[in-house]
Amino acid sequence: MNERLQNEIESLRNEIREHDYRYYVLSDPIISDYEYDRLVKKLEKIEAENPNLITPDSPTQRVGSDIAKEFNSYTHSTPMLSLSNTYSEEELFDFDRRVKEILKGENVEYVTELKIDGLSMSLVYKEGKLVTAATRGDGTTGEDVTLNVRTIKSVPLKIADDKLKKHGVSGFEVRGEIFMSLESFRKLNEERELAEEKLFANPRNSASGTIKLLDPRMVAKRGLDIFTYYFAGDSKELTTHDESLQLLKELGFKVNPNYRLCKSIDEVIKFCDEWEIKRDSLPYEIDGIVIKVNSFSQQKRLGSIAKSPRWAAAYKFKPKQAVTKLHTITWQVGRTGIVTPVAELEPVFLAGSTISRATLHNYDELQRKDIREGDKVVIEKGGDVIPKVVEVIMSGRDKGSVPAVPPSACPVCGAQLFKPEGEVAFYCINNECPAQVKGRIIHFAHRGAMDISGLGEALIDLFVELNYLHSYADIYSLKEKREELIKIDRLGEKSIDNLLAAIEKSKEKPFDKVLFALGIKYVGAGAAKKITDEFNTIDKLLKATKEEIESVYEIGPSISESIIKFFGNEKNLELLNILKKAGLRFEKEAVSSSSGKFKGKTFVLTGTLSKLTRQEAEEKIIAEGGKASSSVSKKTDFVVAGENAGSKLDKALKLGVKVINEIEFLELLNS
Ligand code: IVH
């Protein structure tokens, strides 16, 4: 083996690991993104040329291509305990009294930490390398989610040798809290809303939902993070919790900086009060403070009862709720015609902002909670920007109040409403309803779709009212109206020219974004991508039958029916023609070369490959003129099955598609 090359690879990896640490753990990068990308590209290139030198702890190997069928269970070496809760100053004094009673009046120091609202995770390292990451489960046995946790950039895959040596550790367990920042949470929900997927109620649910996804590539995209708060090593003698936090930091783990060593319970209470006020200034959610006895020998003497230790407690914050008056219930109409109730409230200050509206979700929920105009209601703010009405204070209800009724007609255009079977929502049947028209244009121009910067809600409202826009297709003829538009108050020449330039630029958006932008019910960004991977031109999609569309992996009947219905509508076909003429992309770019040994052949990769990453394999297929598809159909020529191949392999066998292994694939490539 070429020793020089191996040394070069390892030192490049160490350099990248150090920059990852500075960026993801310390938030203090010392090189530019550009320089960082160059280092990673360099490593990727050497690894691609020498696939036998790829190791799982390489920074390039965070996201594998394995898709698991289920998680294995994992038994913790020592149980993961939970904490007993306290809710007031008195209960904190009680806790302190109990601790001191058992310790016979000894002096006690406490460490106070933020209680991160996420899910706890155990990270097991052997020889300084991450070998297992497992959820808490019932405390004794959790689930092995290593592949997913590996994608979290603030979790080190390997601890630098000099650090291990310095502290005399190699095998150890670290525990911490996995969480999703408010920013990532809002971004995720925004995407889900556009895709008409169910929204996550708060960052904690989205973090735990994400960690249970079977596809690590999806996990990698969602921006999970970790704060660690526990270390147990094979050889390391530590005497206090404070020391273990210090050690975690020195080993390169992310520790929340807002902890304090308190000399008395009064200081603990002060810390709790401070953070109850400051909690909204944090970019992630906390639901309380954790109080831990600092000395390990004292912790040992205090021991545990049932599932929680006597040496620690949680102080839980009061929920972010407020009581206010609900003046009226209004009904909003979305782009698909869906009509949702909204509570117009007496403005009230809650957790950092003034609230005057709250969502009531749908009519069923309104009925279930019996929410009426004039009621006194409890509102709550989760990680969401949109607050919700939790319940009615019945004792405050007016005698004359009447149950809320759904509107008998569309509140915007007056058209009839209907309620599809099996759905809780009412819909406006008028496709031309101004609210729907605006909603569709907003969706079309949105960042996740055609990404026309400058064309936001307010401007769309204005253009619809001034009759410049009747549908999203009109966006592309705005340039013919330039002279009129620059005369509109508040707009002016420069902003119109910027807008027209952004509109021109949007024509470069790939086919899958265009398909998503059309606003077909149930066709979210992900579904659009899968569909265009299979049907690479709009004409193919227009000709496809319901069954053919459903044969695409993960595309079900509601999506296929919705697509058939959408393209069965003359008006939509007219819009499509205008967009085509305007020059939007209705074909997936011809990525494959027109010659090469795989010309005209379709490959599907499944399972883990050992010599190549999935991306490299795909690139090689395309370079040889072939197509790399994500789903198996009768048209597939080869399925390349790596280790742990799952449902795609089953499907290939069922359809009689030729299956080859990685070695055979490489032979084919090099033949
Ligand atoms: S210590 C016995 N520290 O809160 C020690 N837990 O109800 C237990 N949590 O399961 C864990 N932030 O998921 C600890 N700084 C922190 C924490 C924390 C959040 C969670 C953790 C635990 C739960 C306890």
Side-chain angles (χ1 to χ4, degrees):
M1 183 50 53
N2 184 340
E3 207 172 305
R4 198 185 51 78
L5 186 64
Q6 214 155 8
N7 286 342
E8 186 187 343
I9 287 196
E10 206 41 50
S11 89
L12 193 51
R13 285 179 186 152
N14 282 335
E15 201 179 338
I16 295 171
R17 286 183 190 120
E18 182 62 23
H19 290 305
D20 280 343
Y21 167 70
R22 298 214 56 118
Y23 188 91
Y24 293 104
V25 177
L26 302 181
S27 306
D28 180 24
I30 46 170
I31 59 169
S32 69
D33 290 0
Y34 174 74
E35 288 168 298
Y36 175 83
D37 287 344
R38 269 191 24 184
L39 288 175
V40 175
K41 288 245 164 64
K42 189 169 164 198
L43 175 60
E44 279 172 350
K45 182 160 178 282
I46 305 178
E47 287 183 342
E49 286 161 0
N50 303 278
N52 52 323
L53 295 185
I54 299 177
T55 54
D57 60 6
S58 170
T60 60
Q61 303 299 306
R62 281 195 177 268
V63 187
S65 52
D66 254 13
I67 299 187
K69 273 189 177 152
E70 57 183 13
F71 298 115
N72 293 324
S73 59
Y74 178 85
T75 304
H76 300 293
S77 58
T78 51
M80 290 181 79
L81 302 177
S82 60
L83 296 169
S84 53
N85 291 331
T86 61
Y87 296 91
S88 64
E89 205 171 277
E90 286 77 60
E91 289 180 350
L92 283 171
F93 280 125
D94 287 346
F95 166 71
D96 181 53
R97 206 172 303 127
R98 275 197 306 276
V99 165
K100 287 185 177 149
E101 238 168 59
I102 300 173
L103 296 177
K104 310 218 161 41
E106 262 173 45
N107 192 30
V108 182
E109 283 184 343
Y110 296 105
V111 173
T112 46
E113 292 167 17
L114 304 186
K115 187 169 185 299
I116 312 296
D117 204 2
L119 67 145
S120 43
M121 188 64 57
S122 158
L123 308 172
V124 181
Y125 287 79
K126 290 207 175 109
E127 286 164 15
K129 291 178 190 161
L130 176 70
V131 289
T132 306
T135 61
R136 177 173 180 275
D138 62 6
T140 308
T141 308
E143 283 178 319
D144 181 334
V145 289
T146 313
L147 294 179
N148 286 347
V149 172
R150 285 173 58 89
T151 70
I152 303 173
K153 298 278 187 48
S154 47
V155 172
L157 299 181
K158 179 179 188 294
I159 310 297
D161 291 331
D162 53 336
K163 292 182 187 168
L164 295 173
K165 230 191 231 143
K166 180 175 169 212
H167 295 287
V169 294
S170 85
F172 50 86
E173 185 189 354
V174 170
R175 290 177 185 173
E177 197 82 353
I178 302 251
F179 66 97
M180 189 179 281
S181 73
L182 285 166
E183 191 190 334
S184 300
F185 167 70
R186 283 173 193 148
K187 203 174 118 225
L188 174 61
N189 259 357
E190 204 175 286
E191 282 165 9
R192 291 177 74 87
E193 182 161 21
L194 280 173
E196 300 198 6
E197 285 164 334
K198 199 168 176 316
L199 301 190
F200 285 112
N202 52 50
R204 177 171 31 84
N205 287 2
S206 50
S208 59
T210 300
I211 220 65
K212 302 243 160 84
L213 289 172
L214 293 169
D215 184 353
R217 288 168 301 185
M218 303 258 300
V219 181
K221 286 186 198 147
R222 292 212 185 154
L224 291 179
D225 206 341
I226 193 168
F227 282 124
T228 59
Y229 47 68
Y230 169 95
F231 177 92
D234 44 8
S235 53
K236 188 74 182 175
E237 285 297 321
L238 292 163
T239 57
T240 63
H241 180 63
D242 187 30
E243 273 172 26
S244 63
L245 294 179
Q246 194 54 40
L247 174 64
L248 283 171
K249 281 195 266 184
E250 284 174 30
L251 288 175
F253 289 94
K254 190 162 170 173
V255 173
N256 191 289
N258 306 304
Y259 69 87
R260 191 180 291 168
L261 181 61
C262 298
K263 305 266 182 225
S264 68
I265 195 69
D266 292 322
E267 278 183 41
V268 168
I269 291 169
K270 196 162 153 258
F271 184 89
C272 293
D273 290 345
E274 259 174 52
W275 279 103
E276 185 138 20
I277 295 166
K278 281 199 294 190
R279 63 191 288 206
D280 288 316
S281 65
L282 293 166
Y284 45 85
E285 291 222 306
I286 59 173
D287 60 341
I289 300 297
V290 182
I291 300 119
K292 300 171 183 173
V293 168
N294 192 31
S295 147
F296 284 154
S297 73
Q298 288 182 336
Q299 283 191 7
K300 220 166 142 194
R301 277 150 64 206
L302 285 157
S304 306
I305 24 159
K307 291 206 157 182
S308 45
R310 284 201 201 85
W311 48 264
Y315 169 76
K316 299 275 274 191
F317 292 145
K318 286 153 209 77
K320 292 193 264 187
Q321 291 187 334
V323 174
T324 188
K325 186 168 169 165
L326 188 162
H327 290 304
T328 51
I329 294 169
T330 54
W331 298 81
Q332 255 178 7
V333 185
R335 74 178 158 93
T336 55
I338 193 164
V339 179
T340 37
V342 176
E344 310 287 344
L345 308 164
E346 176 62 30
V348 57
F349 192 76
L350 174 61
S353 62
T354 303
I355 316 287
S356 53
R357 307 183 90 198
T359 176
L360 295 165
H361 299 292
N362 54 54
Y363 181 62
D364 266 26
E365 171 139 330
L366 229 167
Q367 266 186 319
R368 195 156 38 77
K369 292 184 177 161
D370 188 22
I371 299 169
R372 302 180 185 187
E373 291 186 344
D375 275 349
K376 248 198 201 163
V377 291
V378 178
I379 59 167
E380 185 178 286
K381 216 163 127 183
D384 249 324
V385 226
I386 310 163
K388 55 179 183 234
V389 174
V390 188
E391 61 172 339
V392 174
I393 298 184
M394 288 298 174
S395 59
R397 175 168 280 174
D398 274 353
K399 282 206 188 69
S401 86
V402 287
V405 282
S408 53
C410 172
V412 176
C413 71
Q416 232 180 325
L417 296 182
F418 83 110
K419 192 173 179 215
E421 231 185 81
E423 282 196 43
V424 289
F426 290 91
Y427 289 82
C428 160
I429 61 164
N430 173 16
N431 236 348
E432 303 310 311
C433 170
Q436 290 192 46
V437 171
K438 279 182 198 167
R440 286 196 293 266
I441 303 175
I442 292 168
H443 171 79
F444 185 89
H446 181 269
R447 188 159 45 90
M450 300 306 282
D451 192 17
I452 306 177
S453 65
L455 192 58
E457 246 180 279
L459 197 58
I460 290 171
D461 270 358
L462 185 69
F463 283 172
V464 169
E465 261 135 54
L466 297 177
N467 273 319
Y468 286 112
L469 294 179
H470 304 93
S471 74
Y472 45 62
D474 291 342
I475 293 173
Y476 295 96
S477 47
L478 283 175
K479 61 171 182 247
E480 293 150 26
K481 310 269 168 61
R482 181 181 176 279
E483 300 315 310
E484 288 174 45
L485 297 177
I486 58 176
K487 289 191 199 117
I488 299 176
D489 260 5
R490 303 187 276 136
L491 297 181
E493 203 161 338
K494 187 147 181 272
S495 69
I496 291 297
D497 285 338
N498 286 343
L499 174 67
L500 294 176
I503 292 173
E504 269 324 285
K505 188 152 181 283
S506 74
K507 293 181 181 171
E508 289 163 20
K509 284 277 158 191
F511 181 28
D512 66 294
K513 297 284 182 204
V514 177
L515 182 65
F516 172 52
L518 295 179
I520 305 170
K521 195 173 170 185
Y522 303 128
V523 180
K529 181 86 179 44
K530 289 186 187 112
I531 292 164
T532 54
D533 278 348
E534 201 54 45
F535 302 98
N536 51 13
T537 70
I538 190 74
D539 294 328
K540 282 190 192 158
L541 182 59
L542 285 168
K543 280 193 209 118
T545 62
K546 184 173 164 321
E547 289 69 32
E548 280 167 336
I549 300 174
E550 272 166 53
S551 77
V552 179
Y553 178 62
E554 280 184 346
I555 300 297
S558 46
I559 295 181
S560 63
E561 274 162 30
S562 175
I563 292 175
I564 301 279
K565 189 171 162 210
F566 185 89
F567 292 125
N569 180 329
E570 272 303 314
K571 284 213 173 108
N572 290 333
L573 293 179
E574 271 168 38
L575 292 182
L576 208 65
N577 275 329
I578 301 174
L579 295 177
K580 264 189 190 168
K581 280 200 193 115
L584 270 62
R585 294 199 167 150
F586 283 98
E587 278 189 19
K588 203 168 162 203
E589 257 170 287
V591 272
S592 29
S593 104
S594 57
S595 60
K597 57 173 79 92
F598 293 162
K599 183 167 176 252
K601 299 279 183 242
T602 301
F603 288 74
V604 173
L605 302 166
T606 177
T608 317
L609 305 181
S610 58
K611 302 266 186 281
L612 299 171
T613 65
R614 191 174 282 219
Q615 196 184 344
E616 285 159 10
E618 284 179 0
E619 278 166 9
K620 290 196 192 298
I621 292 166
I622 291 163
E624 287 297 336
K627 191 180 147 203
S629 169
S630 60
S631 59
V632 181
S633 74
K634 271 185 261 166
K635 286 179 217 140
T636 310
D637 295 289
F638 295 98
V639 166
V640 184
E643 244 183 87
N644 297 324
S647 61
K648 288 183 196 172
L649 177 57
D650 299 341
K651 189 158 177 196
L653 295 173
K654 212 191 277 166
L655 293 176
V657 172
K658 191 168 169 61
V659 176
I660 57 176
N661 64 25
E662 186 177 4
I663 306 285
E664 290 166 321
F665 171 70
L666 290 171
E667 281 169 3
L668 210 58
L669 193 67
N670 297 323
S671 65

